[in-house]
Structures are given as structure tokens and as C-alpha cells.
Amino acid sequence: MISIPKGTKDVLPSESYKWHYIENTVREVARLFGANEVRTPTFEHTELFLRGVGDTTDIVNKEMYTFEDKGNRSITLKPEGTAGVARAYIENSLFNAPQPTKMYYITPVFRYERPQAGRLREHHQFGVEFYGSYSPQADVEVMSLAKSIFAKLGVKDLQLNINSIGCKSCRKDYNKALREYFSSKIDGMCATCKERLDKNPLRILDCKEEKCKAIVKDAPSTIDYLCEDCKSHHESVRKGLTSIGLEYTVNPRIVRGLDYYTRTVFEFISTGIGAQGTVCGGGRYNDLVEQVGGKPTPAVGFGMGIERLIMVLESLGLPIGEPYAPTVYIAPMCDKARDVALTIANDLRAKGISSEFDVMDRSFKAQMKYADKLSADFVIIIGEDELKANKLAVKNMKTGEQVEINSQSLFEVISKK
């Protein structure tokens, strides 16, 4: 037997309703904020992620699925959604449309990493991208959108952590301070962070190695090195969050794992799934569009893992939609009744009523058991007596009541459930 690759998972028919529930919810909330869906390819030229995500990140260094196609082009399965959206924004001249451009996506992403709770080598993300505004209110709006999704889903045990990692200007002074701090501690750092010290010391703050985490605890804080513009932006974001009643904590250790972030970064943390409790992360990336070949364009957004979100809802005992159940199950009791069952099912479906009928040649008793397993609301029974009298027997599976009706009255009876 050929097994599923490690780090991937089948979404079975018995579980897919949970995904539909999540996807419908995030689409509904995104539309309330004026965002429209964008769909980008599953794979892109590798250069896009080298330039956009950054060659000092774990994603680029360790986790990308990269290969050469038959034209000897280096291709990468998308490890995250934002770089592809930035490429689409430039390539399709979306900057010519009235700004801001508000987009969302639901997409698979691929990362070769150790599979963990809610994080597989192929997992799925819902993301939001707002382009064209430098306003701190845009940052607040994006965080508010994320919070609205959680509220719609009933998730309450959340903590919003925010930080500012500055811009190109103030990042120079901060990187200098980090190099001075980490230089005396380099012997105790992992091999990857030793390389990062010269290339991009900010990435050390995002290291997952325990020995590096211990060193990072006393590292200089990003907020202490912000320029006046970044400091003003950060204060305006905080003021905006307070004005809409969105509680937050300033966490100077949040830097996010991607090089394109500037100024605001944030994470929503849930205690429902333990240590790996980040269910949404994002921030501002004003330099990304320029880095991948466009004109300087401000942008802000976030991503949230759908698998992890489902885990949170399950751990909190929250509803995640309802499994499919037909409104009607049609039980034919003779060969002639099977053709009638097919016709009735077809007519009901045309009227928007989900219907199923026996195609397994089950006995009547087995059909009733099957209809019960399906949680059908009604069973229509068609036997020789019903055919002779041009009647239908309709059983309400919730009340047990059974009535005999003319076929012309069926839709009216079913609609009253």
C-alpha cells in the first residue's frame, strides 16, 4: 500500500464540514471589511521567496520545497502566502486601482519542518493583505478583522501581543546594539544564530533553540531604538486599539519569522492548545513590494493556520459547523419504486432540498437504519400500495410521525420541517 507522505493529512468527508464552516466564516468577515479574494499559484519562482521572505529566515534556509522544473527553472512550493500576493499586486498593476487594495486568501502552504500540533508540512492558511496605506489605523483594522473572526467563532481565551520592530532607518542602530550584546555570548549560541549575527541579528530573537532563547531574554528591546516616525506610528496603533476596546500587551520579543516585516508586528495567542498557542500572526511590511520589484508600497496583513484554528475550537469545545445530513431519504420497496425515487430526488434537489435514495438494494429495514445514521429529517416510503394509490408515506424522523400524502403536496410538507 502507498502511504500518505509524512507531515500531510487527508481531510475526510466526515471532517470536511469543519473546514467549510471555518472557510465560510472567514470569507464572511473579510467581506465585512471590504476584502476580496485573491488566488495565487501553488508554486512560484524561487527568487520571489529569496527576495521577499529573506535568505536569513528558517523558511528559506531550512524549510522550502524547491526543485528544478523541466526547463531548468528553480521552482518553490509556496511556504507562505504574502510574497505571492505582492507579486500578483505588481504583475497585475493592482496599484492603479483606487487604494487601499484589500485582499484575502485561503491557500495550502508547504514547509519542510518537524510536524507538530496543528502545523503540518502541508497546511492551510487564511491570510489578509491590505495594500496602499501607511496609516496606523490600517494596522488596527487588520487586527480588528482577525479579532472579529475569533469572536464569530466564539474563541474568547485570546491574548493580543504587539510590538514594533522599526524601519530601515532605526533598524540600523538596533542591529548594532544586538551585535554588541550577542558578540560576547556567541559561544553559547546555535550554529545558525552564529551566522545570523553578521547577516541579520534580528533573526536571533526568533530562534527556537532553548539555549538561544535564554540568551535572548536580556537582549535590547526594539522599542527603545525606534525613530520618531516609528515611535509615533506605534503609539497611534496602541491608541487605535484602545479606542475600539481591543485589549493588547506590548511584547518586545515578538519579531515574527519573516524578513519583510517593518514597524508593527503582532500575534494572537490562545491558551487552548498549550505551548504552541499562536493562532494568528502578522504585521506591517512596507518594503516588501519594492523588494520583489515594485514601487514602494505600504502594506499590512496577517496569516492564520486553519488546522490550528480547528484544534483551538475543538479543545475549547466550541461548535465547528454541522456534518452533512440530507433533508430527505427516499426508501423504495420494489423495483418500480426505484425509478419513482430517482424522479422525486431529482425534483426535490431542483427545489434546493438535499435528497438521497437507496442505490444499494438494501432491505426496507436496512434502509431505515441507514436513513437514521444519515440523520435525515424525513424518510419517504414508496411501496406497491403507495404506487397503486398514487400516494407517498412520509415519516418525520425527529418525531416519529408518519403521514400519507399526495405527491403534489410533498414539497409543502417537507418545507414545514
Side-chain angles (χ1 to χ4, degrees):
M1 186 189 83
I2 301 174
S3 300
I4 193 170
K6 182 179 180 180
T8 61
K9 183 181 179 181
D10 296 314
V11 178
L12 301 177
S14 59
E15 299 175 318
S16 58
Y17 72 93
K18 299 177 182 179
W19 290 73
H20 298 160
Y21 177 72
I22 297 290
E23 290 166 3
N24 290 339
T25 299
V26 298
R27 290 179 193 277
E28 179 183 344
V29 174
R31 281 194 289 268
L32 291 176
F33 283 75
N36 292 302
E37 185 176 12
V38 61
R39 301 188 184 190
T40 61
T42 301
F43 56 88
E44 301 267 7
H45 293 292
T46 302
E47 183 185 8
L48 174 67
F49 302 112
L50 294 177
R51 294 171 63 179
V53 176
D55 59 6
T56 62
T57 63
D58 282 349
I59 289 177
V60 170
N61 282 332
K62 304 176 182 179
E63 299 170 4
M64 293 202 312
Y65 280 90
T66 298
F67 58 93
E68 281 195 358
D69 67 6
K70 293 182 179 180
N72 297 319
R73 293 171 288 257
S74 182
I75 298 295
T76 295
L77 300 180
K78 67 167 81 167
E80 55 88 54
T82 298
V85 174
R87 192 264 315 144
Y89 179 82
I90 300 166
E91 191 165 353
N92 296 282
S93 302
L94 298 184
F95 47 79
N96 287 329
Q99 300 299 300
T101 299
K102 298 181 177 182
M103 296 173 280
Y104 74 88
Y105 56 80
I106 300 173
T107 185
V109 293
F110 305 85
R111 297 185 189 178
Y112 190 84
E113 58 183 337
R114 181 178 62 83
Q116 53 184 293
R119 190 68 169 267
L120 303 172
R121 289 177 176 174
E122 181 192 25
H123 59 280
H124 299 77
Q125 285 187 353
F126 166 71
V128 165
E129 317 277 345
F130 285 9
Y131 284 79
S133 173
Y134 286 101
S135 170
Q137 279 71 42
D139 305 31
V140 176
E141 185 177 30
V142 162
M143 285 182 265
S144 176
L145 195 162
K147 184 62 166 58
S148 296
I149 289 172
F150 293 125
K152 186 84 172 175
L153 295 172
V155 181
K156 297 179 180 178
D157 64 331
L158 288 172
Q159 180 179 340
L160 171 60
N161 289 348
I162 70 169
N163 189 26
S164 176
I165 57 174
C167 63
K168 289 179 180 178
S169 176
C170 50
R171 190 82 59 81
K172 292 178 182 178
D173 290 337
Y174 183 57
N175 282 341
K176 180 180 178 181
L178 287 178
R179 288 191 179 96
E180 291 176 355
Y181 172 79
F182 287 122
S183 292
S184 61
K185 299 170 175 58
I186 191 170
D187 292 338
M189 294 158 54
C190 70
T192 301
C193 284
K194 288 177 182 178
E195 294 181 9
R196 289 168 170 165
L197 184 59
D198 288 329
K199 292 182 178 179
N200 189 353
L202 186 69
R203 291 272 61 83
I204 299 174
L205 301 180
D206 194 49
C207 185
K208 303 300 186 291
E209 296 279 348
E210 291 300 325
K211 59 183 179 181
C212 293
K213 285 183 179 181
I215 294 173
V216 163
K217 284 182 180 179
D218 297 319
S221 171
T222 58
I223 293 176
D224 294 335
Y225 290 82
L226 297 179
C227 64
E228 288 304 314
D229 285 345
C230 289
K231 188 181 297 183
S232 174
H233 185 96
H234 181 59
E235 290 302 318
S236 294
V237 168
R238 296 181 63 179
K239 181 179 178 182
L241 291 172
T242 300
S243 70
I244 63 171
L246 185 45
E247 296 183 358
Y248 66 90
T249 299
V250 176
N251 183 344
R253 291 293 169 254
I254 292 180
V255 295
R256 303 297 297 152
L258 308 169
D259 281 354
Y260 53 60
Y261 283 112
T262 55
R263 291 189 171 176
T264 304
V265 288
F266 65 88
E267 293 179 351
F268 281 91
I269 310 294
S270 170
T271 58
I273 55 174
Q276 299 294 331
T278 301
V279 291
C280 173
R284 181 166 281 281
Y285 29 95
N286 292 342
D287 300 329
L288 176 60
V289 173
E290 186 176 10
Q291 287 171 358
V292 297
K295 297 179 180 179
T297 304
V300 60
F302 68 77
M304 63 172 67
I306 295 178
E307 286 89 346
R308 184 158 290 187
L309 189 52
I310 290 174
M311 280 182 56
V312 170
L313 296 179
E314 290 177 336
S315 66
L316 297 176
L318 294 170
I320 319 178
E322 295 181 356
Y324 163 76
T327 301
V328 172
Y329 181 83
I330 307 168
M333 297 175 64
C334 60
D335 288 341
K336 188 175 181 181
R338 297 187 189 283
D339 291 334
V340 177
L342 175 60
T343 300
I344 292 174
N346 192 58
D347 290 344
L348 288 174
R349 290 166 183 164
K351 292 180 171 68
I353 296 176
S354 60
S355 307
E356 294 196 27
F357 61 95
D358 179 57
V359 294
M360 301 299 294
D361 292 333
R362 292 183 173 94
S363 67
F364 176 68
K365 184 177 180 180
Q367 288 189 65
M368 295 303 291
K369 285 185 177 180
Y370 183 63
D372 189 52
K373 284 184 178 180
L374 289 177
S375 298
D377 293 315
F378 298 93
V379 172
I380 299 174
I381 303 165
I382 312 173
E384 290 183 356
D385 291 343
E386 285 78 18
L387 290 173
K388 289 177 182 178
N390 194 25
K391 300 281 187 178
L392 299 173
V394 181
K395 182 174 182 178
N396 187 317
M397 297 295 283
K398 301 297 187 289
T399 66
E401 179 185 4
Q402 182 169 317
V403 297
E404 192 172 81
I405 64 170
N406 295 317
S407 57
Q408 293 84 356
S409 305
L410 178 60
F411 181 70
E412 181 182 351
V413 171
I414 299 301
S415 300
K416 289 180 179 179
K417 71 164 186 170

